[in-house]
Amino acid sequence: MISSLSRAGLAALCFLILSGRGAAQESPPTGSLQGIVIDAATQAPLMGANLVLAGTERGAVSDEQGRFTVEAVPVGSYRVQASYLGYETVMLTDVIVRPQRITTVQVELWPSPLEMAEVTVQAPRYFPPPEEAPVGLVDLSAEEIRRSPGTAGDVSRIMMSLPSVAKVNDTRSALIVRGGSPLENGYLIDNIPVPNIHHFPAQGASGGALGLVNVDFVRELQFHSGGFSALHGDRLSSITDLSLRAGNRAELDGQADLNMIGAGIAGEGPLGAGKGSWMASVRRSYLDLVVDSYDIEASTIPEYGDFQAKVEYDLSDRHRITALDLLGVDRSVIEKERSVDQRENVYGQADWTANTGGVNWRWLWKGGYSNTSLSHTYTRWDNLWRETRTDSLLTRKLSTEQEVTLRQVNRWAAGRGRALEFGVEARRVLADYDNLWGASTDPLGQPTPEVQVSENVSSAKLAAFAQYRFPLPGRVSLTLGLRADYFEYSGNGHAAPRAQLAWQATPATTLTAAFGQFYQFLPLVLLSQQEAFRELDDPRADHYVVGLSHLLTENTRLTVEAYDKEYHAMPLDPATPSLFVMDQSGDLNGFSGHEQLVSDGRARTRGVELMLQKKLAQSLYGVVSGSVFRARYRGYDGVWRDRIYDNRWMVTVEGGYQPNARWEFSLRWVYAGGVPYTPFDLDASRAAQRGVLDETRVNSQRLPDYHTLDLRVDRRFAFSASNLVLYLGVWNVYNRENVAEYVWNQLDNEPDTMNQWGILPVFGMEFEF
């Protein structure tokens, strides 16, 4: 059902589209393109690089600081080709020039392989060199992130199109990577660790409800789905590395955003006579109106707001300071009356505050560079939930978690094909817990006592890492790495080896392989529940990956990867021997209370993934991906079962068409197998008046297959000194009733079905001035 809110949005959109021709300028407006060209291996600026706007005669040559400017460029979307003697030619796609504004790009050129030094004509490279990330890497540009349909500007939802990410519940923003839980993913922004990039963050995990990062500030996203390097640790499944763009160093710019869930304003400008820049944004939701306007099966009224800022300043040609802050403030309230009306099992309220702030110092030295960051993260949960039927207390969480992190990473380019990377991390972990899990029953219907945790924690995490890449005969590149981690709270320490191999069989084809051991310390919210939990072993995942990358054309790449991920020392609760504790982290309420845990769990995920990716060269772009996999675990009872994220197979088609600089049409279609679930023991559930799972059939049934089609249309308007982007999308066009989960309705004492998003119009505008 389309509400008056959505009808008003659609009417405004249609009016602006129809009146756009008269509002725009008769003569084509122009903007300018500025940027810097650097050596990707050393980050040093390159003087004399040639830059050309593909398909035009416009271009520039970089100066002694690597900077360049192209003036009076007609508004539109361009590809920028960059070349330099001794380096591989690259092509940047989706470079948007806007009226009377400066578009800034950063061009990174990789040194050519030694055997290609005499080649005078090269096809431009649209994708990173395979030897730089042999396995499990997907690289997305800022525009690819912004325009993705069905994502609402959420970084995690964008990655849900990838074959390595399971399709479980589209009402939540949590990555399930190669069978792993949301607990197992790590995030960095400009070399600063961020524990969670979502609003309404789950405690002890990295998932949430929707994205916190302003995607208009993102320059590049690198997603590592497995076999990642020794530079990253304390995570079992994936690393998302976000690089933010710099603000405008020459002029003040502003942007106002309005969409179906919120509004925001952003600004940027110069700092210190061209030596630096700043940018900041503030956003506020009106999601409560959306919940009331659409037939969404949820009784909560969520609200959120966020603030994001970045400041960049050059102390000299070799020293740069960057400061970053990311703040999210969230609230969710379920009143008892509304809970009863909506037939919900719980009511209460929750407040979240999450902030990450830090400073990074980049130092360019001869043959390499260093990044040193000092950051502080703060997350506070203030939650109180009661059972609707009995008013009994379920959970009360008054928790604060903080981390002060020093991260130092160095890279030395030791010659063609050789690179040494090394560094250290030191973290002071602070936590203040006043948590209570009320007496209740576990999922199998067994009574559970009250669990109360009141503890202050101050502990240290230390890490050191190094990796060296070097060439072998026959166009083979080998990377060997080692990482060591230590956690003072548990007294556990580990040394984890990593290795990656790449063989360039032909100029277009590369075969890859990787092995690595990955450890992750259990979250403090779980360890602090019992003193004995400090003695638990840390979970470990061994990654084995082989892959093939083949360029069908210079802008179209086919990748195939097969992997085996073997988990060891996973925590289990003997009271529920058939269940898997780590999968509790997928719940927005996080981990439940436990009296006893042991480290006897095993799990594994094995699969094959395929992805065909076409960059925007003319008017078409897209990704077709698919995967077949099996994710299983061994419980305390010794029985192997499917994990709750085991889709078994997935297919995704995403792409778009740009007929001209004004219009863009895009779609995303996803089809995935249904995930496992445990049916209720109906007699026991009715007797207990709450859901009791059938222990003899744990994860033996499957939800119906998941599939959905999302469409989006973008329209750009170029005015004399401003730019307007309008977009209209529809999620789940054919209104598929995708099941999120089956729940026990305690008020009606019968099973019920919770669905994911139904058909949902999505509209918005971005006004740049």
Side-chain angles (χ1 to χ4, degrees), residues 200 299-304 330-335 347-352 382-385 588:
F200 311 97
S299 59
T300 182
I301 304 177
E303 303 173 25
Y304 75 85
D330 312 312
R331 162 167 281 204
S332 179
V333 178
I334 306 178
E335 298 174 352
Y347 72 94
Q349 74 176 50
D351 293 275
W352 297 262
D382 186 356
N383 304 345
L384 179 65
W385 298 108
L588 286 180

Side-chain angles (χ1 to χ4, degrees), residues 357-433:
V359 177
N360 186 75
W361 165 42
R362 192 205 66 181
W363 171 31
L364 302 182
W365 35 274
K366 186 175 181 180
Y369 64 94
S370 301
N371 277 305
T372 305
S373 65
L374 180 64
S375 61
H376 173 257
T377 65
Y378 172 93
T379 309
R380 179 180 173 85
W381 294 266
D382 186 356
N383 304 345
L384 179 65
W385 298 108
R386 294 185 180 274
E387 193 173 72
T388 305
R389 183 177 63 86
T390 65
D391 290 324
S392 60
L393 179 67
L394 294 175
T395 60
R396 186 205 68 213
K397 292 184 180 180
L398 186 57
S399 304
T400 301
E401 294 180 355
Q402 301 182 69
E403 284 191 359
V404 178
T405 304
L406 175 66
R407 175 176 167 86
Q408 209 271 339
V409 184
N410 309 276
R411 179 186 173 102
W412 175 46
R416 291 190 180 274
R418 293 177 171 83
L420 174 64
E421 294 177 276
F422 59 96
V424 295
E425 279 185 0
R427 300 190 185 195
R428 171 55 59 177
V429 180
L430 305 169
D432 184 2
Y433 293 128

Side-chain angles (χ1 to χ4, degrees), residues 30 239 366 518 649 740 747:
T30 63
I239 296 293
K366 186 175 181 180
F518 301 84
W649 59 274
L747 298 178

